Structures are given as C-alpha cells and as structure tokens.
Amino acid sequence: MRRKLALQMFWVGIATSVVACGGAAVPQETLTAAQASVKGAEVGGANDDPKAQLHLKLANEQIEKAKKLIADGDNEEAARVIDRAQADADLALALAE
C-alpha cells in the first residue's frame, strides 16, 4: 500500500515538473523575421504613405510589446503579438508599393 502511494506521488511529481517547465519556447526566429519585415517595409517606402505608415507604427509597437512579454516569460502571448506585427509589416509594404 505504501509503495503504491509512493509510486503515485512520484508520478504526480514528474507530471507537475513537466507541466511547470513545459512553457512555450522563446519565439526568437519569428521575432527576427518580423523585425526584418519592418525594415523591408521601411526600405520599400512605407513611411511615405499615410496608411502604410500607420501599419508600420503598429508593427513596431507590437514588436516592442512582444519583447516585453518575452522578458516576462509569456512566450505564447508574445508569439501571437509577433504574428500581428508580421501581418502589419507585410500590409505596410503592400500599401507602400
């Protein structure tokens, strides 16, 4: 009986450790890609078109927010914010062309 309880407690401890350490990975690759897209939109003339400039500004704000989220350990939310930044940077470039 005690052995069974000890074994159950062991597995509960393992499961808890896995869940606690199993957070999302730092989305560094997508952050870098979004930053590159922002630079591409700037080079592509996004600052010369008011609508494109707005989306460029939004992309930059979202990248900064994502960096703060990563620093706080909220990598899942950071990944979502980075996706929005990427979309805004792509739209800024499309509007500038």
Side-chain angles (χ1 to χ4, degrees), residues 55-91:
H55 288 284
L56 189 60
K57 178 179 182 262
L58 292 171
N60 278 315
E61 289 172 356
Q62 291 161 353
I63 287 171
E64 290 307 311
K65 181 178 180 182
K67 289 178 181 178
K68 290 177 185 169
L69 289 166
I70 290 169
D72 292 342
D74 194 354
N75 296 333
E76 288 182 33
E77 182 64 20
R80 286 189 283 275
V81 171
I82 291 167
D83 288 342
R84 288 195 302 269
Q86 180 71 52
D88 275 319
D90 292 344
L91 182 55

Side-chain angles (χ1 to χ4, degrees), residues 1-20:
M1 177 78 172
R2 289 183 91 163
R3 185 168 187 257
K4 185 177 179 182
L5 180 61
L7 189 58
Q8 287 175 340
M9 294 304 291
F10 171 77
W11 287 115
V12 168
I14 294 293
T16 303
S17 296
V18 168
V19 170

